[in-house]
Amino acid sequence: MDGTAENPVTPAQAPEKTQAERLITALRGAKRTLARRPNEATLGERWEALSAAAASVTDLSGDVDIYGDGVVADLETRVAVLLGKEAAAFFPTGTMAQQVALRCWAGRTGNPTVALHPLAHPEVHEREALTTVAGLRTVHPTHAARQITADDVHGMDEPFGTLMLELPLRDAGFVLPDWEELEEVCEAARARDAVIHFDGARLWEATTHFGRPLDEIAELADSVYVSFYKSLGGLSGAVLAGPESFIGEARAWRHRYGGQVFQQFPQAIAALVGLERELPRLPEYVAHARVVAEALREGFAEAGVVGARVFPEVPHTHQFRVWLPYEADALTEAGLAQAEEAGTALFGRWWAQGAVPGLATTEVTVAEGGLEWGPDDVRAAVADFVRRISS
C-alpha cells in the first residue's frame, strides 16, 4: 500500500445558501433593476458612498454631535422647515417616534384611545408596542383595505383622543386618499375633539398624488413622523415634528425610551444626503412608476397570465404591489433565475397572500435604476419572467 487513503477526507462543503441569501447575491449582481435596495450594497460600498457625499451636506471640520447637537440638530431644523412645523426631534427609529408621539397626545387629550387602520404599521409590524409599552388602546374605524374616510370617523361609536393616518398605507398597496378626502377625514376627527398624527414614513413621495408641497400636507396634522431610509436611502432614523412644546415633551420621553443616543452623525449625514439628492427626484420616480405599472399589466396580459393584478392601477407613489396566481416560492425562484442568468432583476421576494392558496404578492419600487426601463423593456422582462415560473 502506498499510504494513500482509500477515501480521502475532503473539506466540509459550505452550507447551501438560503433563498434570502441567494436573492441578495442575485440582486447585487444584476445589471438591470427597477430600484437598488440598501442591503444590496456591501459594507465597503455603503461606507465609501457616505464618505464621498458627506462634505456636500455638512462641514466636516465642525465638531461631532453629542446627544443630539451639531449635525443632528441641523437635520431637525431642516425637516421642521420642510414640514412647516415649529420644531422637530430626531429618533433612532420610527417605532419609538410614534410610540412617543401617541402617548404624548394621550396625556394632552386625556384619552389614551388611538383610532388607526388595522393595517397601519403599529398594528402589523411593532409587536403590539402601543398597547404593551405605551399603555394605549387602539380602535379601527374600518377594516377595508383602503384609507380611513370621514364617514368612518363620523360612524365611530366611542370617543378617541388621536386619529393616526398612515400616508401612504403600505400594507393596503401604498395607497393615499384624494386631497379632498384627506381634508374631510381630518375635519371629521377635529369635529370629535381629536388630534391628528400622520405616520408619514413615506410622506416624501406623496406630493405628486396630492399636488401639494410637503408643508401644506403636514399642515393638516398636529404632528408628523417621517423616515429617512424608506425613500431617501438613509441609514436609519426618523424625525417627529410638531408644536414646540409638544416636541419638548417628546424629547423627554425619547430619553426615557433609551433614544438619547451619544453620537448619530452617520445617520444624520445620510439623511441630509437623501434630502439633498433623492427628495427632489421622487416626483420623477412616481411618474415613471406609472409607466412601469401599465407596462407590467400589458406584459402579463400578453403572456396569458389570468388573474394578474397591479395595484393601484395608477400608483399613488413610486411603490405599488403586484398579485399573481402562483405559489410564492415558485415566483421568487423565477425572479432569482432571471437575475442570476439574465442579469435582470424585475421582482424581489414574493409571499403568500393571506389564506388564499396559490396567490402571491410582491412590492415593486421604481427609483433611479427604473428610469432606464421603457415600456418595451418591462414587457420583455415580464415575458422572460413568466417563462421561468415552474408549474
Side-chain angles (χ1 to χ4, degrees):
M1 296 180 65
D2 60 6
T4 302
E6 187 174 344
N7 295 303
V9 177
T10 58
Q13 292 184 345
E16 290 188 8
K17 288 185 176 181
T18 65
Q19 189 182 69
E21 291 170 335
R22 287 177 56 213
L23 186 58
I24 288 297
T25 301
L27 293 175
R28 184 177 291 166
K31 297 176 182 178
R32 302 193 68 196
T33 181
L34 291 171
R36 291 291 177 189
R37 299 160 179 80
N39 58 344
E40 291 176 32
T42 65
L43 182 61
E45 289 168 343
R46 197 79 162 117
W47 182 258
E48 183 179 357
L50 181 60
S51 298
S56 68
V57 296
T58 192
D59 180 6
L60 297 181
S61 67
D63 295 332
V64 295
D65 61 293
I66 302 294
Y67 290 123
D69 63 5
V71 68
V72 177
D74 293 342
L75 174 62
E76 291 172 339
T77 300
R78 174 81 180 274
V79 175
V81 171
L82 279 171
L83 298 177
K85 297 300 183 184
E86 291 180 357
F90 184 82
F91 281 77
T93 70
T95 297
M96 183 187 294
Q98 297 213 110
Q99 282 187 53
V100 167
L102 295 172
R103 78 179 299 155
C104 286
W105 285 127
R108 290 172 175 235
T109 63
N111 188 330
T113 301
V114 179
L116 75 172
H117 201 287
L119 293 177
H121 195 277
E123 298 290 69
V124 179
H125 301 289
E126 298 180 15
R127 302 186 70 165
E128 298 83 39
L130 289 185
T131 55
T132 305
V133 180
L136 304 177
R137 176 172 172 266
T138 62
V139 293
H140 305 142
T142 181
H143 286 84
R146 56 163 172 75
Q147 285 284 347
I148 296 169
T149 67
D151 286 344
D152 296 330
V153 172
H154 287 308
M156 294 185 67
D157 57 6
E158 59 181 310
F160 55 94
T162 306
L163 173 67
M164 194 201 92
L165 298 175
E166 183 179 320
L167 302 173
L169 185 57
R170 174 196 176 179
D171 284 310
F174 303 96
V175 295
L176 289 162
D178 293 338
W179 178 251
E180 293 75 16
E181 291 171 338
L182 182 60
E183 288 183 312
E184 289 170 0
V185 73
C186 291
E187 290 171 2
R190 296 199 190 285
R192 299 193 59 155
D193 298 322
V195 296
I196 299 157
H197 171 74
F198 283 172
D199 174 343
R202 296 173 174 84
L203 190 68
W204 309 113
E205 62 263 35
T207 56
T208 299
H209 177 81
F210 287 135
R212 303 290 194 284
L214 283 167
D215 57 349
E216 189 172 344
I217 300 169
E219 187 179 8
L220 295 178
D222 297 282
S223 61
V224 180
Y225 138 70
V226 290
S227 174
F228 296 114
Y229 75 88
K230 291 183 172 67
S231 304
L232 302 182
L235 295 178
S236 62
V239 152
L240 176 64
E244 184 76 51
S245 63
F246 173 81
I247 295 301
E249 182 183 357
R251 291 178 189 276
W253 279 106
R254 180 184 64 187
H255 196 172
R256 295 183 182 114
Y257 268 70
Q260 189 78 351
V261 180
F262 181 55
Q263 288 187 323
Q264 300 176 98
F265 64 90
Q267 292 91 331
I269 290 173
L272 287 168
V273 171
L275 291 173
E276 186 73 20
R277 298 187 177 183
E278 284 299 295
L279 183 59
R281 303 197 68 182
L282 287 175
E284 184 180 14
Y285 298 164
V286 174
H288 200 63
R290 296 171 178 176
V291 174
V292 171
E294 182 177 2
L296 285 173
R297 282 197 306 276
E298 293 170 349
F300 286 119
E302 291 169 2
V305 179
V306 178
R309 187 182 184 194
V310 177
F311 183 81
E313 288 192 5
V314 178
H316 297 174
T317 73
H318 71 315
Q319 296 179 288
F320 54 90
R321 284 194 168 184
V322 175
W323 282 269
L324 290 179
Y326 298 95
E327 297 294 337
D329 278 349
L331 294 174
T332 300
E333 286 295 330
L336 265 168
Q338 186 176 35
E340 291 170 341
E341 298 167 13
T344 297
L346 181 61
F347 301 115
R349 184 179 67 87
W350 293 76
W351 60 93
Q353 180 59 36
V356 181
L359 181 64
T361 187
T362 191
E363 295 177 347
V364 175
T365 301
V366 178
E368 183 178 15
L371 299 179
E372 301 175 0
W373 295 55
D376 289 344
D377 300 316
V378 176
R379 289 191 290 266
V382 168
D384 180 57
F385 174 78
V386 172
R387 283 194 296 269
R388 296 173 186 273
I389 302 173
S390 61
S391 58

